[in-house]
PDB file of all heavy atoms in Angstrom:
ATOM      1  N   LEU A  12      78.810 152.241  83.249  1.00  0.00           N
ATOM      2  CA  LEU A  12      78.673 153.421  84.054  1.00  0.00           C
ATOM      3  C   LEU A  12      77.352 153.457  84.828  1.00  0.00           C
ATOM      4  O   LEU A  12      77.348 153.831  86.004  1.00  0.00           O
ATOM      5  CB  LEU A  12      78.789 154.724  83.205  1.00  0.00           C
ATOM      6  CG  LEU A  12      80.170 154.976  82.537  1.00  0.00           C
ATOM      7  CD1 LEU A  12      80.120 156.233  81.682  1.00  0.00           C
ATOM      8  CD2 LEU A  12      81.246 155.097  83.626  1.00  0.00           C
ATOM      9  N   ARG A  13      76.285 152.988  84.211  1.00  0.00           N
ATOM     10  CA  ARG A  13      74.996 153.029  84.852  1.00  0.00           C
ATOM     11  C   ARG A  13      75.019 152.031  85.970  1.00  0.00           C
ATOM     12  O   ARG A  13      74.501 152.289  87.059  1.00  0.00           O
ATOM     13  CB  ARG A  13      73.940 152.638  83.779  1.00  0.00           C
ATOM     14  CG  ARG A  13      72.489 152.636  84.385  1.00  0.00           C
ATOM     15  CD  ARG A  13      71.435 152.370  83.378  1.00  0.00           C
ATOM     16  NE  ARG A  13      71.608 151.083  82.710  1.00  0.00           N
ATOM     17  CZ  ARG A  13      71.985 150.863  81.438  1.00  0.00           C
ATOM     18  NH1 ARG A  13      72.238 151.906  80.632  1.00  0.00           N
ATOM     19  NH2 ARG A  13      72.081 149.634  80.964  1.00  0.00           N
ATOM     20  N   THR A  14      75.599 150.814  85.752  1.00  0.00           N
ATOM     21  CA  THR A  14      75.676 149.845  86.790  1.00  0.00           C
ATOM     22  C   THR A  14      76.511 150.318  87.994  1.00  0.00           C
ATOM     23  O   THR A  14      76.127 150.164  89.132  1.00  0.00           O
ATOM     24  CB  THR A  14      76.209 148.523  86.250  1.00  0.00           C
ATOM     25  OG1 THR A  14      75.391 148.090  85.187  1.00  0.00           O
ATOM     26  CG2 THR A  14      76.302 147.460  87.304  1.00  0.00           C
ATOM     27  N   ALA A  15      77.694 150.868  87.684  1.00  0.00           N
ATOM     28  CA  ALA A  15      78.569 151.364  88.746  1.00  0.00           C
ATOM     29  C   ALA A  15      77.905 152.473  89.566  1.00  0.00           C
ATOM     30  O   ALA A  15      77.954 152.424  90.819  1.00  0.00           O
ATOM     31  CB  ALA A  15      79.871 151.907  88.105  1.00  0.00           C
ATOM     32  N   ALA A  16      77.258 153.371  88.875  1.00  0.00           N
ATOM     33  CA  ALA A  16      76.573 154.474  89.638  1.00  0.00           C
ATOM     34  C   ALA A  16      75.431 153.916  90.481  1.00  0.00           C
ATOM     35  O   ALA A  16      75.276 154.351  91.621  1.00  0.00           O
ATOM     36  CB  ALA A  16      76.030 155.485  88.622  1.00  0.00           C
ATOM     37  N   GLY A  17      74.748 152.883  89.974  1.00  0.00           N
ATOM     38  CA  GLY A  17      73.689 152.285  90.719  1.00  0.00           C
ATOM     39  C   GLY A  17      74.166 151.554  91.972  1.00  0.00           C
ATOM     40  O   GLY A  17      73.418 151.384  92.949  1.00  0.00           O
ATOM     41  N   LEU A  18      75.460 151.114  91.957  1.00  0.00           N
ATOM     42  CA  LEU A  18      76.053 150.407  93.095  1.00  0.00           C
ATOM     43  C   LEU A  18      76.663 151.416  94.059  1.00  0.00           C
ATOM     44  O   LEU A  18      77.293 151.028  95.046  1.00  0.00           O
ATOM     45  CB  LEU A  18      77.105 149.398  92.614  1.00  0.00           C
ATOM     46  CG  LEU A  18      76.502 148.210  91.810  1.00  0.00           C
ATOM     47  CD1 LEU A  18      77.624 147.436  91.228  1.00  0.00           C
ATOM     48  CD2 LEU A  18      75.647 147.362  92.749  1.00  0.00           C
ATOM     49  N   GLY A  19      76.611 152.710  93.802  1.00  0.00           N
ATOM     50  CA  GLY A  19      77.163 153.718  94.650  1.00  0.00           C
ATOM     51  C   GLY A  19      78.584 154.033  94.399  1.00  0.00           C
ATOM     52  O   GLY A  19      79.220 154.774  95.180  1.00  0.00           O
ATOM     53  N   ILE A  20      79.171 153.514  93.317  1.00  0.00           N
ATOM     54  CA  ILE A  20      80.546 153.869  92.954  1.00  0.00           C
ATOM     55  C   ILE A  20      80.566 155.260  92.333  1.00  0.00           C
ATOM     56  O   ILE A  20      79.836 155.543  91.443  1.00  0.00           O
ATOM     57  CB  ILE A  20      81.162 152.834  91.964  1.00  0.00           C
ATOM     58  CG1 ILE A  20      81.176 151.455  92.598  1.00  0.00           C
ATOM     59  CG2 ILE A  20      82.509 153.305  91.465  1.00  0.00           C
ATOM     60  CD1 ILE A  20      81.476 150.382  91.651  1.00  0.00           C
ATOM     61  N   LYS A  21      81.419 156.115  92.901  1.00  0.00           N
ATOM     62  CA  LYS A  21      81.420 157.494  92.466  1.00  0.00           C
ATOM     63  C   LYS A  21      82.580 157.854  91.500  1.00  0.00           C
ATOM     64  O   LYS A  21      82.451 158.723  90.630  1.00  0.00           O
ATOM     65  CB  LYS A  21      81.496 158.475  93.678  1.00  0.00           C
ATOM     66  CG  LYS A  21      80.181 158.673  94.326  1.00  0.00           C
ATOM     67  CD  LYS A  21      79.194 159.250  93.396  1.00  0.00           C
ATOM     68  CE  LYS A  21      77.827 159.519  94.023  1.00  0.00           C
ATOM     69  NZ  LYS A  21      76.884 160.018  93.006  1.00  0.00           N
ATOM     70  N   TYR A  22      83.700 157.198  91.654  1.00  0.00           N
ATOM     71  CA  TYR A  22      84.868 157.522  90.835  1.00  0.00           C
ATOM     72  C   TYR A  22      85.317 156.362  90.007  1.00  0.00           C
ATOM     73  O   TYR A  22      85.345 155.196  90.466  1.00  0.00           O
ATOM     74  CB  TYR A  22      86.050 157.996  91.727  1.00  0.00           C
ATOM     75  CG  TYR A  22      85.844 159.329  92.358  1.00  0.00           C
ATOM     76  CD1 TYR A  22      85.181 159.423  93.597  1.00  0.00           C
ATOM     77  CD2 TYR A  22      86.285 160.501  91.712  1.00  0.00           C
ATOM     78  CE1 TYR A  22      84.989 160.682  94.173  1.00  0.00           C
ATOM     79  CE2 TYR A  22      86.079 161.751  92.358  1.00  0.00           C
ATOM     80  CZ  TYR A  22      85.451 161.812  93.584  1.00  0.00           C
ATOM     81  OH  TYR A  22      85.280 163.027  94.185  1.00  0.00           O
ATOM     82  N   TYR A  23      85.776 156.585  88.821  1.00  0.00           N
ATOM     83  CA  TYR A  23      86.471 155.611  88.013  1.00  0.00           C
ATOM     84  C   TYR A  23      87.629 156.234  87.226  1.00  0.00           C
ATOM     85  O   TYR A  23      87.566 157.418  86.967  1.00  0.00           O
ATOM     86  CB  TYR A  23      85.510 154.879  87.013  1.00  0.00           C
ATOM     87  CG  TYR A  23      85.059 155.728  85.840  1.00  0.00           C
ATOM     88  CD1 TYR A  23      85.740 155.716  84.636  1.00  0.00           C
ATOM     89  CD2 TYR A  23      83.942 156.553  85.966  1.00  0.00           C
ATOM     90  CE1 TYR A  23      85.350 156.451  83.549  1.00  0.00           C
ATOM     91  CE2 TYR A  23      83.535 157.299  84.882  1.00  0.00           C
ATOM     92  CZ  TYR A  23      84.216 157.258  83.707  1.00  0.00           C
ATOM     93  OH  TYR A  23      83.804 158.021  82.624  1.00  0.00           O
ATOM     94  N   ARG A  24      88.630 155.419  86.866  1.00  0.00           N
ATOM     95  CA  ARG A  24      89.722 155.976  86.124  1.00  0.00           C
ATOM     96  C   ARG A  24      89.626 155.538  84.704  1.00  0.00           C
ATOM     97  O   ARG A  24      89.368 154.339  84.428  1.00  0.00           O
ATOM     98  CB  ARG A  24      91.048 155.539  86.749  1.00  0.00           C
ATOM     99  CG  ARG A  24      92.254 156.223  86.132  1.00  0.00           C
ATOM    100  CD  ARG A  24      93.532 155.854  86.881  1.00  0.00           C
ATOM    101  NE  ARG A  24      93.960 154.492  86.607  1.00  0.00           N
ATOM    102  CZ  ARG A  24      94.920 153.891  87.247  1.00  0.00           C
ATOM    103  NH1 ARG A  24      95.592 154.509  88.199  1.00  0.00           N
ATOM    104  NH2 ARG A  24      95.286 152.645  86.926  1.00  0.00           N
ATOM    105  N   LEU A  25      89.816 156.484  83.785  1.00  0.00           N
ATOM    106  CA  LEU A  25      89.729 156.125  82.342  1.00  0.00           C
ATOM    107  C   LEU A  25      90.958 155.289  81.944  1.00  0.00           C
ATOM    108  O   LEU A  25      92.019 155.330  82.572  1.00  0.00           O
ATOM    109  CB  LEU A  25      89.778 157.372  81.519  1.00  0.00           C
ATOM    110  CG  LEU A  25      88.396 158.124  81.277  1.00  0.00           C
ATOM    111  CD1 LEU A  25      87.983 158.741  82.616  1.00  0.00           C
ATOM    112  CD2 LEU A  25      88.569 159.204  80.190  1.00  0.00           C
ATOM    113  N   GLY A  26      90.840 154.576  80.839  1.00  0.00           N
ATOM    114  CA  GLY A  26      92.000 153.923  80.216  1.00  0.00           C
ATOM    115  C   GLY A  26      92.819 155.028  79.528  1.00  0.00           C
ATOM    116  O   GLY A  26      92.468 156.192  79.534  1.00  0.00           O
ATOM    117  N   LYS A  27      93.968 154.605  78.954  1.00  0.00           N
ATOM    118  CA  LYS A  27      94.895 155.558  78.411  1.00  0.00           C
ATOM    119  C   LYS A  27      94.637 155.718  76.854  1.00  0.00           C
ATOM    120  O   LYS A  27      94.410 154.724  76.184  1.00  0.00           O
ATOM    121  CB  LYS A  27      96.335 155.132  78.631  1.00  0.00           C
ATOM    122  CG  LYS A  27      96.709 154.923  80.117  1.00  0.00           C
ATOM    123  CD  LYS A  27      96.795 156.289  80.791  1.00  0.00           C
ATOM    124  CE  LYS A  27      97.272 156.141  82.225  1.00  0.00           C
ATOM    125  NZ  LYS A  27      96.389 155.302  83.049  1.00  0.00           N
ATOM    126  N   TYR A  28      94.795 156.917  76.403  1.00  0.00           N
ATOM    127  CA  TYR A  28      94.845 157.173  75.006  1.00  0.00           C
ATOM    128  C   TYR A  28      96.337 157.243  74.662  1.00  0.00           C
ATOM    129  O   TYR A  28      97.184 157.750  75.405  1.00  0.00           O
ATOM    130  CB  TYR A  28      94.147 158.530  74.619  1.00  0.00           C
ATOM    131  CG  TYR A  28      92.705 158.455  74.880  1.00  0.00           C
ATOM    132  CD1 TYR A  28      92.125 159.196  75.978  1.00  0.00           C
ATOM    133  CD2 TYR A  28      91.825 157.687  74.098  1.00  0.00           C
ATOM    134  CE1 TYR A  28      90.773 159.103  76.221  1.00  0.00           C
ATOM    135  CE2 TYR A  28      90.475 157.649  74.357  1.00  0.00           C
ATOM    136  CZ  TYR A  28      89.913 158.324  75.437  1.00  0.00           C
ATOM    137  OH  TYR A  28      88.591 158.286  75.669  1.00  0.00           O
ATOM    138  N   ARG A  29      96.668 156.736  73.430  1.00  0.00           N
ATOM    139  CA  ARG A  29      98.114 156.615  73.126  1.00  0.00           C
ATOM    140  C   ARG A  29      98.391 157.278  71.788  1.00  0.00           C
ATOM    141  O   ARG A  29      97.588 157.350  70.854  1.00  0.00           O
ATOM    142  CB  ARG A  29      98.471 155.131  73.001  1.00  0.00           C
ATOM    143  CG  ARG A  29      98.543 154.468  74.403  1.00  0.00           C
ATOM    144  CD  ARG A  29      98.787 152.952  74.202  1.00  0.00           C
ATOM    145  NE  ARG A  29      99.083 152.338  75.506  1.00  0.00           N
ATOM    146  CZ  ARG A  29      98.162 151.918  76.374  1.00  0.00           C
ATOM    147  NH1 ARG A  29      96.860 152.209  76.105  1.00  0.00           N
ATOM    148  NH2 ARG A  29      98.512 151.411  77.525  1.00  0.00           N
ATOM    149  N   TYR A  30      99.595 157.808  71.698  1.00  0.00           N
ATOM    150  CA  TYR A  30     100.099 158.425  70.443  1.00  0.00           C
ATOM    151  C   TYR A  30     100.657 157.269  69.568  1.00  0.00           C
ATOM    152  O   TYR A  30     101.167 156.283  70.107  1.00  0.00           O
ATOM    153  CB  TYR A  30     101.202 159.360  70.700  1.00  0.00           C
ATOM    154  CG  TYR A  30     100.720 160.681  71.405  1.00  0.00           C
ATOM    155  CD1 TYR A  30     101.102 160.987  72.699  1.00  0.00           C
ATOM    156  CD2 TYR A  30      99.834 161.522  70.731  1.00  0.00           C
ATOM    157  CE1 TYR A  30     100.641 162.122  73.336  1.00  0.00           C
ATOM    158  CE2 TYR A  30      99.391 162.731  71.330  1.00  0.00           C
ATOM    159  CZ  TYR A  30      99.800 163.006  72.665  1.00  0.00           C
ATOM    160  OH  TYR A  30      99.310 164.111  73.281  1.00  0.00           O
ATOM    161  N   SER A  31     100.589 157.457  68.292  1.00  0.00           N
ATOM    162  CA  SER A  31     101.058 156.461  67.415  1.00  0.00           C
ATOM    163  C   SER A  31     101.836 157.192  66.259  1.00  0.00           C
ATOM    164  O   SER A  31     101.499 158.304  65.844  1.00  0.00           O
ATOM    165  CB  SER A  31      99.927 155.626  66.767  1.00  0.00           C
ATOM    166  OG  SER A  31     100.323 154.902  65.624  1.00  0.00           O
ATOM    167  N   ASP A  32     102.876 156.513  65.734  1.00  0.00           N
ATOM    168  CA  ASP A  32     103.648 157.057  64.642  1.00  0.00           C
ATOM    169  C   ASP A  32     102.797 157.116  63.385  1.00  0.00           C
ATOM    170  O   ASP A  32     103.141 157.899  62.424  1.00  0.00           O
ATOM    171  CB  ASP A  32     104.864 156.215  64.341  1.00  0.00           C
ATOM    172  CG  ASP A  32     105.907 156.276  65.481  1.00  0.00           C
ATOM    173  OD1 ASP A  32     105.889 157.266  66.247  1.00  0.00           O
ATOM    174  OD2 ASP A  32     106.727 155.322  65.626  1.00  0.00           O
ATOM    175  N   ASP A  33     101.727 156.358  63.296  1.00  0.00           N
ATOM    176  CA  ASP A  33     100.865 156.377  62.129  1.00  0.00           C
ATOM    177  C   ASP A  33      99.786 157.431  62.150  1.00  0.00           C
ATOM    178  O   ASP A  33      99.096 157.645  61.126  1.00  0.00           O
ATOM    179  CB  ASP A  33     100.196 154.961  61.966  1.00  0.00           C
ATOM    180  CG  ASP A  33     101.215 153.885  61.826  1.00  0.00           C
ATOM    181  OD1 ASP A  33     102.246 154.128  61.226  1.00  0.00           O
ATOM    182  OD2 ASP A  33     100.955 152.758  62.387  1.00  0.00           O
ATOM    183  N   THR A  34      99.608 158.114  63.265  1.00  0.00           N
ATOM    184  CA  THR A  34      98.578 159.164  63.369  1.00  0.00           C
ATOM    185  C   THR A  34      99.162 160.440  63.947  1.00  0.00           C
ATOM    186  O   THR A  34     100.057 160.352  64.836  1.00  0.00           O
ATOM    187  CB  THR A  34      97.455 158.708  64.302  1.00  0.00           C
ATOM    188  OG1 THR A  34      96.958 157.429  63.864  1.00  0.00           O
ATOM    189  CG2 THR A  34      96.340 159.732  64.337  1.00  0.00           C
ATOM    190  N   SER A  35      98.864 161.582  63.380  1.00  0.00           N
ATOM    191  CA  SER A  35      99.461 162.789  63.848  1.00  0.00           C
ATOM    192  C   SER A  35      99.027 163.087  65.278  1.00  0.00           C
ATOM    193  O   SER A  35      97.960 162.633  65.734  1.00  0.00           O
ATOM    194  CB  SER A  35      99.010 163.973  62.943  1.00  0.00           C
ATOM    195  OG  SER A  35      97.650 164.271  63.163  1.00  0.00           O
ATOM    196  N   ILE A  36      99.849 163.864  65.993  1.00  0.00           N
ATOM    197  CA  ILE A  36      99.480 164.219  67.333  1.00  0.00           C
ATOM    198  C   ILE A  36      98.173 164.970  67.369  1.00  0.00           C
ATOM    199  O   ILE A  36      97.285 164.764  68.258  1.00  0.00           O
ATOM    200  CB  ILE A  36     100.609 165.047  67.968  1.00  0.00           C
ATOM    201  CG1 ILE A  36     101.842 164.151  68.215  1.00  0.00           C
ATOM    202  CG2 ILE A  36     100.189 165.692  69.271  1.00  0.00           C
ATOM    203  CD1 ILE A  36     103.070 164.877  68.716  1.00  0.00           C
ATOM    204  N   ALA A  37      97.979 165.923  66.416  1.00  0.00           N
ATOM    205  CA  ALA A  37      96.728 166.718  66.439  1.00  0.00           C
ATOM    206  C   ALA A  37      95.555 165.799  66.258  1.00  0.00           C
ATOM    207  O   ALA A  37      94.523 166.007  66.889  1.00  0.00           O
ATOM    208  CB  ALA A  37      96.829 167.726  65.291  1.00  0.00           C
ATOM    209  N   ASP A  38      95.628 164.839  65.311  1.00  0.00           N
ATOM    210  CA  ASP A  38      94.484 163.953  65.098  1.00  0.00           C
ATOM    211  C   ASP A  38      94.223 163.060  66.335  1.00  0.00           C
ATOM    212  O   ASP A  38      93.036 162.790  66.649  1.00  0.00           O
ATOM    213  CB  ASP A  38      94.737 163.082  63.855  1.00  0.00           C
ATOM    214  CG  ASP A  38      94.572 163.814  62.618  1.00  0.00           C
ATOM    215  OD1 ASP A  38      94.051 164.958  62.572  1.00  0.00           O
ATOM    216  OD2 ASP A  38      95.028 163.295  61.546  1.00  0.00           O
ATOM    217  N   THR A  39      95.227 162.598  66.935  1.00  0.00           N
ATOM    218  CA  THR A  39      95.098 161.774  68.172  1.00  0.00           C
ATOM    219  C   THR A  39      94.370 162.563  69.241  1.00  0.00           C
ATOM    220  O   THR A  39      93.443 162.062  69.902  1.00  0.00           O
ATOM    221  CB  THR A  39      96.447 161.289  68.646  1.00  0.00           C
ATOM    222  OG1 THR A  39      97.067 160.467  67.728  1.00  0.00           O
ATOM    223  CG2 THR A  39      96.274 160.506  69.998  1.00  0.00           C
ATOM    224  N   LEU A  40      94.758 163.818  69.444  1.00  0.00           N
ATOM    225  CA  LEU A  40      94.168 164.643  70.473  1.00  0.00           C
ATOM    226  C   LEU A  40      92.708 164.999  70.146  1.00  0.00           C
ATOM    227  O   LEU A  40      91.842 165.047  70.994  1.00  0.00           O
ATOM    228  CB  LEU A  40      94.977 165.951  70.712  1.00  0.00           C
ATOM    229  CG  LEU A  40      96.370 165.678  71.367  1.00  0.00           C
ATOM    230  CD1 LEU A  40      97.088 167.015  71.454  1.00  0.00           C
ATOM    231  CD2 LEU A  40      96.163 165.056  72.732  1.00  0.00           C
TER     232      LEU A  40
END
Side-chain angles (χ1 to χ4, degrees):
L12 293 180
R13 182 174 63 248
T14 301
L18 293 171
I20 296 170
K21 280 299 181 185
Y22 290 87
Y23 72 92
R24 190 173 72 188
L25 278 70
K27 300 291 186 297
Y28 296 107
R29 290 174 169 81
Y30 293 113
S31 166
D32 293 337
D33 299 325
T34 306
S35 71
I36 290 175
D38 285 347
T39 297
L40 291 177

